[in-house]
Amino acid sequence: PVLENIVSRTIRQVENTQEPVRLVGLSATLPNYKDVATFLRVNPEKGLYFFDHSYRPVPLQQQFLGITERNAFKRFQLQNEICYDKCLIQRKASNQVLIFVHSRAECGKTAKALRDLALDRDNLSDFVRDGGATAEILKEELDTVKNQDLKEVLSYGFAIHHAGMVRSDRELVEDLFADRHIAVLVSTATLAWGVNLPAHTVIIKGTQIYDPSKGKWTELSPLDVLQMLGRAGRPQFDSEGEGIIITAHSELQFYMSLTNLQLPVESQLVAFLPDHLNAEVVLGNVQTIAEAVEWLSYSFLYVRMLRNPGTYGISEKAFKNDPVLKQRRLDLIHSSACLLEKSQLVRYDRRSGSLQATPLGRIASHFYISHESMAQYNRHIRPTMTEIELLRLFATSGEFKQIHVRQDEKMELAKLAARVPIPVKESTEEPSAKVNVLLQAYVSRLKLDGFVLAADMAFIQQSAARIMRALFEIALKRGWARLTKLTLAFSNM
């Protein structure tokens, strides 16, 4: 929605000022590319280019494998065995394999598991020949390796690659793989985006990644999947590449539709419309309801509502009676304006339709704070707040509403709560207490054990500075010296 709003604003500005701005859109996967072209005001005869699979220099064979196992440990073992079997088939044909996993720790675990399977099944000679030049080169390079996981697997023909490794290790792995001395490389997605290192076969091992902004495990983005599969097949050496996706059985249909370009991109603007409307009001681009309705006609949301009204809750009868959807746009804008007025971010005169920004609205727009959070701060902020009360208010921000407390985190959170400098009064089973504890853990540089907990802490830390700056601005505007000093101190941490 942020990108959609920036593009809408730019196109509207170009039309109003007659000062041309060139917009170039590029995407790896976009079934409804014509809708995006309409949104960008592209002339389909001159400015629209679509490259399908026929443009690929090496044809791609795809396999989709669905796993039904629920137990996490057994699922990890099963994925490793599938990867090993696929690697062995490719090694019999002297092909290299690139395996993508979704965390740095998993790189080492997967490479070691594959090495152990090769040792158990006595297949090591398929990965690196005894007494051959490759075996000698790998043994020589071992002394220069600094990463312990890489050290343990390199001499067996396996290697790992991720952003947490030192540059010399990463460059060594890239050179050895390019020279075909490494048979199987286990990597994170950074290799797909940053380094041009193709292999005959690419395996995507699992498709779930943890998204702290949603507080749950989510499927890989279509862009990441296609970028990884794009590494399959070496143009100079292969007549075809092979891409293998190992996913949950329930997600098979989704990935088959994805790789066959069957899933249209929809607008996500409706959920965030009040905040984007507030930004336009603060900038002075929208001053009345009528202007806001016109502004919405520049959005991708409007293009998709016209193309697919049913998805956006518009009946056939309503669409027939209002083919330009003016009433629907008016309803959306009016609802958003009412929410902003309730949160005291704008002044909304229903008779004249005028919209005026308030000091709170300007702070929300400048620091990209949601209207729900601003309403929360406005209700509970006090001039004599203590550190305990300020952190409690911070923890109730709408930005963290997706963060939950999981069963396996409770013990570690309780230990952290006992170590943080500012007492947390709520139970650690409360999501707000988790936010509070993790913020203090970050400031105090406390070490975390859980991967998911660390991801949540990184997400909280990313938002902390702007939220504290927003609270500082509110206190400053109201002339509350004590709270201004306290929020400024937190902002600088």
Side-chain angles (χ1 to χ4, degrees):
V2 178
L3 182 61
E4 180 175 348
N5 192 30
I6 291 169
V7 173
S8 303
R9 184 188 300 161
T10 305
I11 293 169
R12 188 164 177 253
Q13 187 179 312
V14 167
E15 289 191 4
N16 290 338
T17 62
Q18 294 301 306
E19 293 179 7
V21 173
R22 176 177 287 180
L23 292 172
V24 179
L26 180 69
S27 178
T29 167
L30 205 59
N32 53 331
Y33 60 92
K34 290 180 181 175
D35 292 343
V36 178
T38 305
F39 166 53
L40 293 172
R41 305 293 197 272
V42 167
N43 180 343
E45 303 298 323
K46 292 182 179 178
L48 178 60
Y49 302 93
F50 173 64
F51 304 96
D52 59 16
H53 292 305
S54 63
Y55 284 85
R56 192 185 157 88
V58 179
L60 181 67
Q61 275 193 3
Q62 294 176 23
Q63 291 182 38
F64 302 87
L65 304 174
I67 292 177
T68 54
E69 180 58 61
R70 296 275 181 189
N71 180 280
F73 180 70
K74 288 181 180 176
R75 187 168 64 241
F76 180 75
Q77 282 186 314
L78 182 57
Q79 285 177 338
N80 285 337
E81 286 174 15
I82 292 170
C83 284
Y84 179 77
D85 290 341
K86 295 294 178 186
C87 288
L88 196 58
I89 292 167
Q90 294 302 324
R91 288 308 298 160
K92 298 283 187 190
S94 300
N95 293 325
Q96 288 175 293
V97 182
L98 189 53
I99 301 175
F100 285 109
V101 296
H102 312 301
S103 74
R104 296 173 185 182
E106 204 181 337
C107 281
K109 287 178 185 173
T110 300
K112 288 176 194 171
L114 294 175
R115 176 205 61 190
D116 292 345
L117 283 167
L119 285 167
D120 291 345
R121 299 180 186 182
D122 200 22
N123 293 131
L124 268 183
S125 58
D126 288 309
F127 295 92
V128 59
R129 251 194 358 263
D130 278 339
T134 291
E136 292 302 316
I137 289 168
L138 293 178
K139 279 175 187 170
E140 281 175 23
E141 296 293 356
L142 264 184
D143 295 334
T144 65
V145 173
K146 295 177 178 61
N147 183 283
Q148 189 56 41
D149 288 336
L150 180 59
K151 216 179 240 293
E152 289 180 31
V153 298
L154 187 61
S155 59
Y156 298 95
F158 298 93
I160 63 171
H161 188 290
H162 58 70
M165 294 163 62
V166 297
R167 183 188 287 272
S168 59
D169 280 359
R170 292 202 310 269
E171 289 178 348
L172 172 67
V173 168
E174 289 162 20
D175 291 342
L176 289 173
F177 192 77
D179 294 338
R180 297 178 65 80
H181 295 307
I182 291 171
V184 178
L185 176 57
V186 185
S187 169
T188 54
T190 49
L191 186 74
W193 287 101
V195 186
N196 184 22
L197 209 63
H200 179 275
T201 301
V202 165
I203 301 174
I204 300 176
K205 182 192 166 199
T207 56
Q208 284 209 321
I209 53 169
Y210 182 70
D211 184 349
S213 66
K214 295 178 181 171
K216 60 181 182 181
W217 292 85
T218 58
E219 292 300 314
L220 277 171
S221 79
L223 212 56
D224 278 329
V225 171
L226 289 168
Q227 189 71 21
M228 291 176 201
L229 291 178
R231 289 284 173 262
R234 299 164 305 153
Q236 299 91 344
F237 307 105
D238 295 331
S239 57
E240 64 178 24
E242 196 164 337
I244 301 168
I245 297 178
I246 304 172
T247 185
H249 193 270
S250 57
E251 298 299 329
L252 274 179
Q253 194 58 49
F254 169 76
Y255 284 102
M256 288 172 76
S257 301
L258 167 69
T259 50
N260 292 320
L261 298 177
Q262 292 172 358
L263 297 174
V265 174
E266 298 292 354
S267 171
Q268 307 299 317
L269 185 62
V270 170
F272 304 94
L273 191 56
D275 297 321
H276 290 296
L277 176 60
N278 179 56
E280 297 305 309
V281 172
V282 168
L283 284 169
N285 294 339
V286 167
Q287 296 177 346
T288 65
I289 288 292
E291 287 181 0
V293 170
E294 186 224 358
W295 160 72
L296 205 56
S297 70
Y298 288 84
S299 66
F300 184 60
L301 169 66
Y302 181 58
V303 174
R304 286 302 295 161
M305 283 198 301
L306 289 175
R307 187 85 67 196
N308 196 11
T311 302
Y312 296 89
I314 302 164
S315 66
E316 281 185 37
K317 186 180 177 183
F319 186 54
K320 200 172 181 180
N321 293 337
D322 185 14
V324 293
L325 299 176
K326 187 169 184 179
Q327 188 58 47
R328 176 65 171 170
R329 283 182 283 145
L330 185 59
D331 292 344
L332 287 170
I333 293 296
H334 174 70
S335 302
S336 298
C338 288
L339 283 172
L340 292 174
E341 184 187 36
K342 190 178 177 184
S343 303
Q344 298 183 24
L345 302 191
V346 300
R347 295 186 192 93
Y348 176 25
D349 186 335
R350 284 166 175 73
R351 289 179 66 187
S352 65
S354 74
L355 294 166
Q356 283 183 306
T358 65
L360 275 180
R362 289 188 180 90
I363 292 169
S365 176
H366 187 74
F367 294 104
Y368 199 60
I369 307 291
S370 68
H371 66 281
E372 297 109 319
S373 293
M374 291 303 288
Q376 180 82 347
Y377 304 153
N378 199 33
R379 270 196 303 273
H380 298 290
I381 199 165
R382 298 287 179 271
T384 56
M385 288 182 100
T386 62
E387 289 179 331
I388 294 173
E389 291 168 329
L390 179 62
L391 287 179
R392 191 185 298 162
L393 178 61
F394 170 90
T396 59
S397 300
E399 279 70 12
F400 308 128
K401 64 186 175 187
Q402 305 290 355
I403 288 183
H404 307 291
V405 179
R406 294 168 195 81
Q407 192 64 38
D408 57 346
E409 298 170 345
K410 290 180 181 177
M411 189 180 292
E412 188 175 358
L413 281 172
K415 288 177 185 175
L416 287 170
R419 294 174 63 196
V420 294
I422 300 166
V424 179
K425 292 188 175 180
E426 296 83 11
S427 160
T428 49
E429 295 191 7
E430 292 287 323
S432 61
K434 177 179 176 179
V435 173
N436 192 339
V437 167
L438 290 180
L439 176 68
Q440 292 193 59
Y442 170 74
V443 173
S444 305
R445 303 291 189 267
L446 300 181
K447 192 173 183 301
L448 304 185
D449 293 331
F451 163 72
V452 173
L453 215 52
D456 281 336
M457 184 175 78
F459 175 70
I460 292 164
Q461 170 258 320
Q462 285 166 4
S463 303
R466 62 186 174 85
I467 291 173
M468 279 298 177
R469 280 299 305 275
L471 291 168
F472 164 74
E473 290 289 340
I474 295 170
L476 186 64
K477 288 265 191 301
R478 296 182 181 183
W480 297 344
R482 180 180 170 181
L483 186 60
T484 301
K485 183 182 177 184
L486 184 60
T487 50
L488 184 61
F490 272 108
S491 299
N492 291 331
M493 282 182 182

